[in-house]
Amino acid sequence: MSIEEEKKTESFTENVVAVSNDTDDFRLLTTDARMAGERALVRKLDRRLMTTAVVIYLLNYIDRVAVTAARLQGLEQDLGITTVQYESILAILYVTYCPAQIPSNMILSYISRPSLYIGACVIGWGLTSALTGVTTNFAGIMACRVFIGLPEAAFYPGVMYLLSRWYTRKELAVRSAWFYCGLLISNAFGSLIAAGILSQMQGVLGLAAWRWLFYIEGAITMFFGFLTMWLLPDFPHNTRWLNAAERRLAQVRLAEDAGEADKDADNLTIYDGLWLAIKDPKTIIFMFMSCSQLLGLSYINFFPTLTQTLGYGTTVTFLMAAPPWVFAATLCVLNAWHADRSGERFFHIATWWWVVILGYIISLATMATGGRYFSLFLMTTGYCGFALTLTWVSNAIPRPPAKRAVAMGLVNGFGNLGNMMGSYVWNAAWGPQYHQSMIIALCSLVLSTVLGFLMRWILMNENKKMDQEEKKFTEGPGRQRIEEAARLEGITFDEAVKRRKGFRYLY
């Protein structure tokens, strides 16, 4: 930050304190002071909240998919498990991960210190991941996979809900994408980290390399979990590392963005949010859209295996798995940036499903190394769309926060049933072509497209209804009040109407 910007921010803080003490009205501030204050606040949030979220997500997915890397280095042989048992190891995580997201987000919307809650969950899954390294049989690793799903359930929908409590609709998509880049980067560099550990640690202290993989990654995650408790913010009204003026500004700008305060009514219970979310048909449509989408993208848990079908050794396979995810991460941020600028949602999500479908078609048509590897690049871009799914849910189900929190938990929890089903779709008996797997995934993305179109149509109709209601107001008795306001503020009638225009859904 430059010296000039620092002076503007200091001036803003002094003005906000004075204004808040007198009238509690931010409109008394000059436009420059307000904008400087918002920029400073968003920069501070980006440094603390976004950086922490990305790193945790990177660690989260590395821990979760370490078992796929370990498979290539003898995990199945050492534990004496069959192919079906291995598929069950992948699937069992979602038995706890999916349903636990709903009560977790209900709790998150109710407690006052999400930083402590999320941090404790990070420590929990890091510990469980490390314990995976001591397992000696199928039952032991199954138990670890069951329990790792519980603390992990709090993270993705929880952080997405936390982002929606801090960023406006026009800021949220690109932040969601940066956050999701943690997953994409983990698929790229997680493979490289795994390659390094698996190639150098075999036999150290008499242990297999795949065991060291779990020990090292689990220990790093636990360490960062303790840092998370200090780095993450809580809510706009009670974050400890913001001053009073910044906390007040954070609340006001979200209230202005939605046309109402971003807080629950005093009489709204934790169960009311659940009931409100379940009653809303948009929640149900999003749930099935997310499920079919993730089934269509379920290759992610088998990506090293798909890369291995190119015919190279273990280390080269991991190295070749990285570039497609780096490519996807770059596109993910650019896509979200444009989604924020344009305010459009459906095509910024669905277009990437269609690119994945093209990738599947290429893989179905050829086993040539070049064509297959190119198709892997296309397939990874599907997560550019998925990164915006909960952003769209947040935009479509914005208030009250308790309803939004539960809706996000329901959508992501139910959606991950697609990943659970996908654990059995990519059957090793169908390899190395995996034609049946790709056809199932392709059809799932077609279903996602249909449901996405339906959601877009619903939101467009909702916006038209709001337009008609406001038009009736401006042409009726409310017109005189708008004309008077325009006269007092020295602006035209059309400008005054534009200022009065309320919340609209993004579709």
Side-chain angles (χ1 to χ4, degrees), residues 56-67:
I56 299 173
Y57 207 0
L58 192 155
L59 296 173
N60 170 262
Y61 226 76
I62 287 177
D63 284 345
R64 193 191 305 179
V65 302
V67 67

Side-chain angles (χ1 to χ4, degrees), residues 216-239:
I216 293 171
E217 292 181 352
I220 293 172
T221 300
M222 284 190 287
F223 171 75
F224 200 80
F226 285 104
L227 291 180
T228 297
M229 296 179 177
W230 172 72
L231 289 169
L232 280 184
D234 293 308
F235 294 123
H237 69 278
N238 68 342
T239 293

Side-chain angles (χ1 to χ4, degrees), residues 434-455:
Y434 291 101
H435 286 175
Q436 299 94 323
S437 309
M438 293 180 184
I439 291 170
I440 294 170
L442 188 155
C443 293
S444 297
L445 293 177
V446 172
L447 176 58
S448 298
T449 300
V450 173
L451 293 172
F453 268 122
L454 175 60
M455 178 56 63

Side-chain angles (χ1 to χ4, degrees), residues 138-210:
F138 174 65
I141 195 169
M142 280 289 280
C144 286
R145 296 289 289 180
V146 167
F147 285 105
I148 200 172
L150 290 172
E152 283 196 2
F155 180 61
Y156 182 68
V159 171
M160 285 299 299
Y161 172 65
L162 194 59
L163 293 181
S164 74
R165 293 296 301 266
W166 285 99
Y167 292 104
T168 65
R169 286 176 298 157
K170 290 291 187 179
E171 298 166 346
L172 189 56
V174 74
R175 267 74 185 186
S176 299
W178 276 114
F179 169 47
Y180 204 75
C181 276
L183 178 145
L184 303 178
I185 293 169
S186 74
N187 279 287
F189 297 103
S191 298
L192 298 179
I193 292 169
I197 295 173
L198 293 174
S199 64
Q200 300 296 323
M201 300 300 290
Q202 180 64 33
V204 175
L205 299 181
L207 298 173
W210 67 264

Side-chain angles (χ1 to χ4, degrees), residues 39 71 116 235 461 478 504:
R39 283 196 299 268
R71 183 190 192 188
L116 301 180
F235 294 123
N461 281 343
R504 291 294 184 273

Side-chain angles (χ1 to χ4, degrees), residues 26 35 44 70 115 123 134 136 217-218 222 278 297 301 340 357 363 400 430 433-434 443 449-450 461 471 486:
F26 272 71
M35 291 178 62
K44 185 177 287 189
S115 58
I123 295 168
V134 305
T136 57
E217 292 181 352
M222 284 190 287
I278 292 173
L297 302 177
N301 290 324
D340 270 346
I357 289 174
S363 285
W430 292 344
Q433 293 85 4
Y434 291 101
C443 293
T449 300
V450 173
N461 281 343
K471 185 177 181 181

Side-chain angles (χ1 to χ4, degrees), residues 213-473:
L213 181 65
F214 288 109
Y215 295 152
I216 293 171
E217 292 181 352
I220 293 172
T221 300
M222 284 190 287
F223 171 75
F224 200 80
F226 285 104
L227 291 180
T228 297
M229 296 179 177
W230 172 72
L231 289 169
L232 280 184
D234 293 308
F235 294 123
H237 69 278
N238 68 342
T239 293
R240 290 161 289 189
W241 41 264
L242 293 179
N243 60 44
E246 290 169 327
R247 290 195 296 270
R248 177 63 183 143
L249 175 59
Q251 295 173 72
V252 167
R253 69 194 212 98
L254 286 178
E256 292 176 349
D257 184 56
E260 58 181 289
D262 189 39
K263 65 179 183 178
D264 294 315
D266 293 335
N267 61 347
L268 193 70
T269 69
I270 192 172
Y271 300 105
D272 291 331
L274 174 62
W275 179 239
L276 289 170
I278 292 173
K279 285 196 306 179
D280 193 332
K282 294 195 294 291
T283 305
I284 308 302
I285 295 171
F286 273 128
M287 287 168 62
F288 282 95
M289 187 190 84
S290 182
C291 182
S292 59
Q293 174 185 196
L294 283 176
L295 177 56
L297 302 177
S298 58
Y299 66 82
I300 189 170
N301 290 324
F302 297 86
F303 201 76
T305 303
L306 291 176
T307 310
Q308 194 178 41
T309 64
L310 299 175
Y312 298 96
T314 301
T315 301
V316 174
T317 293
F318 283 133
L319 292 172
M320 292 186 70
W325 292 111
V326 174
F327 174 70
T330 304
L331 290 181
C332 185
V333 174
L334 293 175
N335 179 60
W337 173 81
H338 191 265
D340 270 346
R341 292 291 296 269
S342 65
E344 200 280 331
R345 290 293 181 260
F346 170 74
F347 288 107
H348 285 83
I349 295 174
T351 299
W352 302 107
W353 301 339
W354 307 334
V355 174
V356 176
I357 289 174
L358 176 61
Y360 284 143
I361 291 172
I362 293 173
S363 285
L364 288 168
T366 181
M367 279 296 291
T369 300
R372 265 273 167 132
Y373 194 46
F374 176 67
S375 73
L376 293 180
F377 278 83
L378 299 182
M379 288 158 62
T380 59
T381 63
Y383 282 90
C384 298
F386 179 73
L388 300 183
T389 300
L390 287 192
T391 302
W392 198 14
V393 174
S394 175
N395 296 152
I397 310 173
R399 301 291 183 273
K403 176 186 177 182
R404 181 172 79 235
V406 175
M408 294 172 81
L410 282 167
V411 172
N412 203 62
F414 187 83
N416 271 282
L417 292 177
N419 268 327
M420 186 176 72
M421 291 184 283
S423 299
Y424 296 96
V425 166
W426 297 88
N427 194 314
W430 292 344
Q433 293 85 4
Y434 291 101
H435 286 175
Q436 299 94 323
S437 309
M438 293 180 184
I439 291 170
I440 294 170
L442 188 155
C443 293
S444 297
L445 293 177
V446 172
L447 176 58
S448 298
T449 300
V450 173
L451 293 172
F453 268 122
L454 175 60
M455 178 56 63
R456 186 173 190 268
W457 177 79
I458 289 172
L459 296 179
M460 289 173 69
N461 281 343
E462 292 280 352
N463 283 352
K464 287 178 182 177
K465 289 179 183 178
M466 287 186 276
D467 286 339
Q468 290 171 358
E469 290 173 0
E470 289 193 355
K471 185 177 181 181
K472 288 179 183 178
F473 179 81

